[in-house]
Amino acid sequence: MDHLNLFREHFPEVKAVGVIGSGIMGHGIAHVAAAAGYTVTLFDLEAALLDRALAQIRKNLEVGVEKGKVSNADMQATLSRISTSTSLKETVDQKELVIEAIPEKLPLKIELFGKLSGIVNDDTILASNTSSLSIGAIASASSRPERIVGMHFFNPPHILKLLELVSSGRTSPDALASVKKVAEKMQREIVVVKDSPGFATSRLGVLLGLEAMRMVEEGVASAEDIDKAMVHGYKHPMGPLRLSDLIGLDTRLEIAEYLHRELKSDAFKPPLILREKVRIKHLGQKSGQGFYEWNK
Ligand code: NAD
């Protein structure tokens, strides 16, 4: 018998999805899940955050309609499949898949996955949208680590199709196969990545962003000119500093600290300029200021 069969589990077909955290990523994940036909419940700690998330989803869909990429009927159908809740229990109730998109802090994620273990059905798959953290460490908080997977979406999910799928080594092949089917239905471009710090994307992307910040610190060039150089010289769709602002400088700092610790490379040591901006709450687009002014 194939030794993997020892861990083989049956997971029911995914029909409904819970999304925990409605911030930059959570609302986008809810959007693409609903657009793919799933019934979605989106959770956050406060109703006001959920109102903002729903308004943003509607706005993104309206832009899609204006550009002729989404039909009016599809927009209405997508919106009708999304409900919101501030109750964790209600969010995960009757869901075959729950996707977590809360801040990039390992203790916070471990606490949440521990809590979820006690309230979800035995055959609910739990996915983390972490950009860098160990899926194995997150799974250690669960009573059933074989159902925990990494589903790393990209910002904004309704535009960027990439999805990194991460198996912790303890993830059941059936859970992975189940999530892969969902990702295909969401029209994702899938890459399967080993559970290692920063996976395939953040490890490279964050490195470029941190080096660009060090260059600003050293006065090599302005943020605008460093970005312009990468856009026109390397055909990046957007420079590394503008991208850092879009992602959120607090999230970038969390990832850099984790990668610095785990990969033991000074290339990931967070530059002072990043720490300083996070300290004064210049977090990028979400706070109105980062390496760029976003209020203008
Ligand atoms: P965010 O700060 O925009 O949103 C996080 C949301 O989680 C907030 O709305 C907050 O109220 C909620 N929250 C906080 N603590 C919670 C808890 N204990 N339980 C439930 N909800 C809680 O963060 P984000 O940028 O959306 O990042 C979320 C995750 O997605 C992180 O792991 C991040 O690394 C990853 N990610 C981010 C990006 C990006 O571009 N920002 C891209 C890919 C992946």
Side-chain angles (χ1 to χ4, degrees):
M1 184 171 60
D2 171 0
H3 76 283
L4 286 177
N5 278 340
L6 291 173
F7 303 104
R8 210 155 273 236
E9 302 258 341
H10 174 68
F11 289 94
E13 189 195 340
V14 175
K15 295 199 174 98
V17 177
V19 179
I20 302 179
S22 71
I24 292 181
M25 291 308 290
H27 81 268
I29 295 169
H31 174 158
V32 295
Y38 296 108
T39 304
V40 178
T41 307
L42 179 59
F43 170 90
D44 213 309
L45 302 171
E46 293 167 24
L49 295 170
L50 291 166
D51 291 345
R52 199 173 66 182
L54 271 187
Q56 190 61 49
I57 295 171
R58 176 180 287 279
K59 197 167 147 198
N60 291 340
L61 282 164
E62 282 168 354
V63 171
V65 172
E66 269 165 36
K67 290 189 170 166
K69 296 196 167 161
V70 181
S71 73
N72 215 353
D74 282 348
M75 170 171 118
Q76 298 306 340
T78 299
L79 288 171
S80 74
R81 288 186 203 107
I82 305 174
S83 57
T84 58
S85 178
T86 52
S87 150
L88 212 47
K89 185 130 188 29
E90 190 178 77
T91 303
V92 304
D93 189 39
Q94 312 278 329
K95 305 298 189 302
E96 294 82 19
L97 172 65
V98 173
I99 305 172
E100 163 275 315
I102 69 168
E104 188 74 345
K105 293 179 191 292
L106 188 55
L108 213 57
K109 297 205 191 258
I110 287 180
E111 189 192 334
L112 176 67
F113 276 75
K115 228 187 262 177
L116 288 175
S117 260
I119 55 173
V120 296
N121 292 340
D122 271 0
D123 51 14
T124 300
I125 297 171
L126 303 178
S128 173
N129 181 51
T130 177
S131 312
S132 64
L133 303 172
S134 159
I135 299 299
I138 293 171
S140 68
S142 168
S143 54
R144 296 201 42 223
E146 64 275 14
R147 61 169 167 196
I148 314 280
V149 300
M151 269 184 113
H152 182 202
F153 290 82
F154 287 75
N155 178 16
H158 70 288
I159 308 259
L160 294 188
K161 301 279 184 205
L162 183 65
L163 181 89
E164 277 185 306
L165 262 188
V166 188
S167 153
S168 76
R170 295 170 82 186
T171 309
S172 123
D174 276 7
L176 203 63
S178 208
V179 160
K180 203 168 174 196
K181 250 191 224 161
V182 174
E184 281 163 1
K185 216 169 147 192
M186 290 179 178
Q187 299 178 337
R188 300 295 99 180
E189 291 290 340
I190 302 165
V191 294
V192 180
V193 187
K194 186 177 137 188
D195 190 12
S196 69
F199 315 124
T201 50
S202 301
R203 185 163 169 178
L204 285 173
V206 169
L207 196 63
L208 193 67
L210 295 177
E211 200 55 31
M213 291 172 202
R214 278 189 273 273
M215 286 161 66
V216 173
E217 236 170 21
E218 289 169 20
V220 173
S222 66
E224 287 83 353
D225 280 352
I226 291 169
D227 279 351
K228 191 171 172 183
M230 296 312 287
V231 169
H232 293 284
Y234 282 74
K235 276 222 168 282
H236 286 201
M238 162 187 331
L241 294 158
R242 179 173 285 275
L243 180 61
S244 297
D245 265 11
L246 283 183
I247 287 168
L249 299 184
D250 49 346
T251 300
R252 280 251 132 150
L253 178 59
E254 290 289 348
I255 298 172
E257 281 176 334
Y258 179 76
L259 294 181
H260 184 220
R261 210 164 50 237
E262 293 295 316
L263 296 170
K264 298 179 178 51
S265 159
D266 275 351
F268 291 101
K269 190 172 173 188
L272 271 181
I273 193 170
L274 175 60
R275 287 193 185 287
E276 183 56 15
K277 283 190 185 293
V278 172
R279 193 182 65 76
I280 60 174
K281 299 268 184 288
H282 285 185
L283 305 179
Q285 188 190 34
K286 66 179 159 188
S287 73
Q289 186 147 13
F291 285 93
Y292 289 83
E293 282 252 14
W294 292 88
N295 289 328
K296 283 181 184 164

